[in-house]
PDB file of all heavy atoms in Angstrom:
ATOM      1  N   ASP A 288      29.730 137.784 202.224  1.00  0.00           N
ATOM      2  CA  ASP A 288      30.700 138.044 203.288  1.00  0.00           C
ATOM      3  C   ASP A 288      31.956 137.198 203.110  1.00  0.00           C
ATOM      4  O   ASP A 288      33.083 137.679 203.308  1.00  0.00           O
ATOM      5  CB  ASP A 288      30.077 137.765 204.653  1.00  0.00           C
ATOM      6  CG  ASP A 288      29.026 138.797 205.052  1.00  0.00           C
ATOM      7  OD1 ASP A 288      28.964 139.867 204.421  1.00  0.00           O
ATOM      8  OD2 ASP A 288      28.251 138.506 205.995  1.00  0.00           O
ATOM      9  N   GLN A 289      31.755 135.933 202.750  1.00  0.00           N
ATOM     10  CA  GLN A 289      32.916 135.065 202.549  1.00  0.00           C
ATOM     11  C   GLN A 289      33.764 135.546 201.373  1.00  0.00           C
ATOM     12  O   GLN A 289      35.003 135.552 201.445  1.00  0.00           O
ATOM     13  CB  GLN A 289      32.455 133.621 202.310  1.00  0.00           C
ATOM     14  CG  GLN A 289      31.801 132.953 203.489  1.00  0.00           C
ATOM     15  CD  GLN A 289      32.731 132.757 204.677  1.00  0.00           C
ATOM     16  OE1 GLN A 289      33.951 132.857 204.555  1.00  0.00           O
ATOM     17  NE2 GLN A 289      32.151 132.461 205.834  1.00  0.00           N
ATOM     18  N   LEU A 290      33.130 135.945 200.299  1.00  0.00           N
ATOM     19  CA  LEU A 290      33.888 136.437 199.143  1.00  0.00           C
ATOM     20  C   LEU A 290      34.651 137.712 199.497  1.00  0.00           C
ATOM     21  O   LEU A 290      35.807 137.883 199.086  1.00  0.00           O
ATOM     22  CB  LEU A 290      32.946 136.666 197.968  1.00  0.00           C
ATOM     23  CG  LEU A 290      32.363 135.389 197.357  1.00  0.00           C
ATOM     24  CD1 LEU A 290      31.261 135.721 196.363  1.00  0.00           C
ATOM     25  CD2 LEU A 290      33.453 134.553 196.673  1.00  0.00           C
ATOM     26  N   ASP A 291      34.026 138.599 200.260  1.00  0.00           N
ATOM     27  CA  ASP A 291      34.714 139.815 200.698  1.00  0.00           C
ATOM     28  C   ASP A 291      35.962 139.475 201.513  1.00  0.00           C
ATOM     29  O   ASP A 291      36.984 140.160 201.424  1.00  0.00           O
ATOM     30  CB  ASP A 291      33.778 140.681 201.542  1.00  0.00           C
ATOM     31  CG  ASP A 291      32.709 141.375 200.701  1.00  0.00           C
ATOM     32  OD1 ASP A 291      32.881 141.464 199.470  1.00  0.00           O
ATOM     33  OD2 ASP A 291      31.700 141.826 201.286  1.00  0.00           O
ATOM     34  N   ARG A 292      35.871 138.412 202.297  1.00  0.00           N
ATOM     35  CA  ARG A 292      36.987 138.013 203.166  1.00  0.00           C
ATOM     36  C   ARG A 292      38.087 137.271 202.417  1.00  0.00           C
ATOM     37  O   ARG A 292      39.275 137.438 202.705  1.00  0.00           O
ATOM     38  CB  ARG A 292      36.430 137.129 204.289  1.00  0.00           C
ATOM     39  CG  ARG A 292      37.465 136.570 205.235  1.00  0.00           C
ATOM     40  CD  ARG A 292      36.799 135.813 206.359  1.00  0.00           C
ATOM     41  NE  ARG A 292      36.232 134.546 205.943  1.00  0.00           N
ATOM     42  CZ  ARG A 292      36.892 133.377 206.022  1.00  0.00           C
ATOM     43  NH1 ARG A 292      38.133 133.329 206.474  1.00  0.00           N
ATOM     44  NH2 ARG A 292      36.293 132.260 205.644  1.00  0.00           N
ATOM     45  N   LEU A 293      37.703 136.469 201.429  1.00  0.00           N
ATOM     46  CA  LEU A 293      38.643 135.505 200.851  1.00  0.00           C
ATOM     47  C   LEU A 293      39.372 135.985 199.606  1.00  0.00           C
ATOM     48  O   LEU A 293      40.533 135.633 199.391  1.00  0.00           O
ATOM     49  CB  LEU A 293      37.885 134.213 200.509  1.00  0.00           C
ATOM     50  CG  LEU A 293      37.296 133.426 201.680  1.00  0.00           C
ATOM     51  CD1 LEU A 293      36.348 132.351 201.164  1.00  0.00           C
ATOM     52  CD2 LEU A 293      38.393 132.817 202.528  1.00  0.00           C
ATOM     53  N   VAL A 294      38.693 136.738 198.766  1.00  0.00           N
ATOM     54  CA  VAL A 294      39.214 136.994 197.414  1.00  0.00           C
ATOM     55  C   VAL A 294      40.590 137.638 197.448  1.00  0.00           C
ATOM     56  O   VAL A 294      41.502 137.222 196.719  1.00  0.00           O
ATOM     57  CB  VAL A 294      38.220 137.857 196.617  1.00  0.00           C
ATOM     58  CG1 VAL A 294      38.858 138.374 195.330  1.00  0.00           C
ATOM     59  CG2 VAL A 294      36.971 137.042 196.287  1.00  0.00           C
ATOM     60  N   ASP A 295      40.781 138.657 198.267  1.00  0.00           N
ATOM     61  CA  ASP A 295      42.035 139.414 198.253  1.00  0.00           C
ATOM     62  C   ASP A 295      43.054 138.928 199.272  1.00  0.00           C
ATOM     63  O   ASP A 295      44.087 139.586 199.474  1.00  0.00           O
ATOM     64  CB  ASP A 295      41.745 140.897 198.492  1.00  0.00           C
ATOM     65  CG  ASP A 295      40.952 141.517 197.350  1.00  0.00           C
ATOM     66  OD1 ASP A 295      41.120 141.068 196.202  1.00  0.00           O
ATOM     67  OD2 ASP A 295      40.149 142.437 197.617  1.00  0.00           O
ATOM     68  N   THR A 296      42.792 137.793 199.924  1.00  0.00           N
ATOM     69  CA  THR A 296      43.727 137.284 200.946  1.00  0.00           C
ATOM     70  C   THR A 296      44.213 135.888 200.614  1.00  0.00           C
ATOM     71  O   THR A 296      44.624 135.139 201.499  1.00  0.00           O
ATOM     72  CB  THR A 296      43.043 137.273 202.335  1.00  0.00           C
ATOM     73  OG1 THR A 296      41.858 136.452 202.268  1.00  0.00           O
ATOM     74  CG2 THR A 296      42.656 138.683 202.767  1.00  0.00           C
ATOM     75  N   GLN A 297      44.184 135.532 199.336  1.00  0.00           N
ATOM     76  CA  GLN A 297      44.558 134.182 198.925  1.00  0.00           C
ATOM     77  C   GLN A 297      46.053 133.929 199.091  1.00  0.00           C
ATOM     78  O   GLN A 297      46.874 134.837 199.032  1.00  0.00           O
ATOM     79  CB  GLN A 297      44.180 133.955 197.464  1.00  0.00           C
ATOM     80  CG  GLN A 297      42.711 133.964 197.175  1.00  0.00           C
ATOM     81  CD  GLN A 297      42.442 133.673 195.720  1.00  0.00           C
ATOM     82  OE1 GLN A 297      42.698 132.578 195.230  1.00  0.00           O
ATOM     83  NE2 GLN A 297      41.933 134.666 195.010  1.00  0.00           N
ATOM     84  N   GLY A 298      46.359 132.629 199.201  1.00  0.00           N
ATOM     85  CA  GLY A 298      47.739 132.184 199.205  1.00  0.00           C
ATOM     86  C   GLY A 298      48.272 132.009 197.793  1.00  0.00           C
ATOM     87  O   GLY A 298      47.741 132.576 196.829  1.00  0.00           O
ATOM     88  N   GLU A 299      49.310 131.204 197.667  1.00  0.00           N
ATOM     89  CA  GLU A 299      49.965 130.984 196.378  1.00  0.00           C
ATOM     90  C   GLU A 299      48.961 130.552 195.313  1.00  0.00           C
ATOM     91  O   GLU A 299      48.073 129.740 195.560  1.00  0.00           O
ATOM     92  CB  GLU A 299      51.035 129.889 196.523  1.00  0.00           C
ATOM     93  CG  GLU A 299      51.792 129.620 195.242  1.00  0.00           C
ATOM     94  CD  GLU A 299      52.753 128.447 195.367  1.00  0.00           C
ATOM     95  OE1 GLU A 299      52.650 127.692 196.371  1.00  0.00           O
ATOM     96  OE2 GLU A 299      53.601 128.275 194.472  1.00  0.00           O
ATOM     97  N   GLN A 300      49.116 131.103 194.126  1.00  0.00           N
ATOM     98  CA  GLN A 300      48.206 130.831 193.023  1.00  0.00           C
ATOM     99  C   GLN A 300      48.699 129.639 192.201  1.00  0.00           C
ATOM    100  O   GLN A 300      49.818 129.662 191.669  1.00  0.00           O
ATOM    101  CB  GLN A 300      48.082 132.072 192.134  1.00  0.00           C
ATOM    102  CG  GLN A 300      47.562 133.303 192.870  1.00  0.00           C
ATOM    103  CD  GLN A 300      46.101 133.166 193.252  1.00  0.00           C
ATOM    104  OE1 GLN A 300      45.225 133.358 192.418  1.00  0.00           O
ATOM    105  NE2 GLN A 300      45.817 132.847 194.507  1.00  0.00           N
ATOM    106  N   VAL A 301      47.847 128.623 192.110  1.00  0.00           N
ATOM    107  CA  VAL A 301      48.176 127.414 191.353  1.00  0.00           C
ATOM    108  C   VAL A 301      46.970 127.067 190.469  1.00  0.00           C
ATOM    109  O   VAL A 301      45.905 127.668 190.587  1.00  0.00           O
ATOM    110  CB  VAL A 301      48.516 126.234 192.293  1.00  0.00           C
ATOM    111  CG1 VAL A 301      49.767 126.531 193.101  1.00  0.00           C
ATOM    112  CG2 VAL A 301      47.338 125.909 193.218  1.00  0.00           C
ATOM    113  N   LEU A 302      47.148 126.086 189.609  1.00  0.00           N
ATOM    114  CA  LEU A 302      46.051 125.651 188.752  1.00  0.00           C
ATOM    115  C   LEU A 302      45.091 124.796 189.585  1.00  0.00           C
ATOM    116  O   LEU A 302      45.477 123.766 190.126  1.00  0.00           O
ATOM    117  CB  LEU A 302      46.594 124.851 187.573  1.00  0.00           C
ATOM    118  CG  LEU A 302      45.617 124.544 186.431  1.00  0.00           C
ATOM    119  CD1 LEU A 302      45.016 125.820 185.853  1.00  0.00           C
ATOM    120  CD2 LEU A 302      46.329 123.759 185.327  1.00  0.00           C
ATOM    121  N   VAL A 303      43.845 125.240 189.704  1.00  0.00           N
ATOM    122  CA  VAL A 303      42.829 124.524 190.471  1.00  0.00           C
ATOM    123  C   VAL A 303      41.666 124.175 189.539  1.00  0.00           C
ATOM    124  O   VAL A 303      41.494 124.765 188.487  1.00  0.00           O
ATOM    125  CB  VAL A 303      42.328 125.349 191.680  1.00  0.00           C
ATOM    126  CG1 VAL A 303      43.465 125.598 192.667  1.00  0.00           C
ATOM    127  CG2 VAL A 303      41.720 126.684 191.234  1.00  0.00           C
ATOM    128  N   ASN A 304      40.887 123.207 189.980  1.00  0.00           N
ATOM    129  CA  ASN A 304      39.794 122.676 189.165  1.00  0.00           C
ATOM    130  C   ASN A 304      38.510 122.809 189.970  1.00  0.00           C
ATOM    131  O   ASN A 304      38.340 122.148 190.991  1.00  0.00           O
ATOM    132  CB  ASN A 304      40.085 121.213 188.823  1.00  0.00           C
ATOM    133  CG  ASN A 304      38.962 120.512 188.080  1.00  0.00           C
ATOM    134  OD1 ASN A 304      37.945 121.108 187.743  1.00  0.00           O
ATOM    135  ND2 ASN A 304      39.130 119.228 187.833  1.00  0.00           N
ATOM    136  N   GLN A 305      37.589 123.649 189.490  1.00  0.00           N
ATOM    137  CA  GLN A 305      36.381 123.900 190.271  1.00  0.00           C
ATOM    138  C   GLN A 305      35.303 122.842 190.087  1.00  0.00           C
ATOM    139  O   GLN A 305      34.181 123.011 190.571  1.00  0.00           O
ATOM    140  CB  GLN A 305      35.828 125.281 189.980  1.00  0.00           C
ATOM    141  CG  GLN A 305      35.412 125.542 188.558  1.00  0.00           C
ATOM    142  CD  GLN A 305      34.789 126.924 188.380  1.00  0.00           C
ATOM    143  OE1 GLN A 305      34.125 127.444 189.288  1.00  0.00           O
ATOM    144  NE2 GLN A 305      34.996 127.535 187.242  1.00  0.00           N
ATOM    145  N   ASP A 306      35.621 121.722 189.434  1.00  0.00           N
ATOM    146  CA  ASP A 306      34.622 120.656 189.266  1.00  0.00           C
ATOM    147  C   ASP A 306      35.234 119.275 189.498  1.00  0.00           C
ATOM    148  O   ASP A 306      34.799 118.297 188.884  1.00  0.00           O
ATOM    149  CB  ASP A 306      34.001 120.742 187.878  1.00  0.00           C
ATOM    150  CG  ASP A 306      32.599 120.145 187.820  1.00  0.00           C
ATOM    151  OD1 ASP A 306      31.931 120.120 188.878  1.00  0.00           O
ATOM    152  OD2 ASP A 306      32.168 119.713 186.744  1.00  0.00           O
ATOM    153  N   LEU A 307      36.195 119.184 190.403  1.00  0.00           N
ATOM    154  CA  LEU A 307      36.836 117.889 190.654  1.00  0.00           C
ATOM    155  C   LEU A 307      36.047 117.136 191.729  1.00  0.00           C
ATOM    156  O   LEU A 307      36.464 117.019 192.881  1.00  0.00           O
ATOM    157  CB  LEU A 307      38.295 118.081 191.089  1.00  0.00           C
ATOM    158  CG  LEU A 307      39.242 116.902 190.843  1.00  0.00           C
ATOM    159  CD1 LEU A 307      40.689 117.320 191.104  1.00  0.00           C
ATOM    160  CD2 LEU A 307      38.926 115.670 191.655  1.00  0.00           C
TER     161      LEU A 307
END
Side-chain angles (χ1 to χ4, degrees):
D288 289 345
Q289 293 296 344
L290 291 170
D291 287 342
R292 177 175 72 93
L293 295 168
V294 168
D295 294 329
T296 58
Q297 294 182 66
E299 182 185 13
Q300 301 290 281
V301 296
L302 191 57
V303 297
N304 175 3
Q305 61 176 327
D306 206 26
L307 204 170

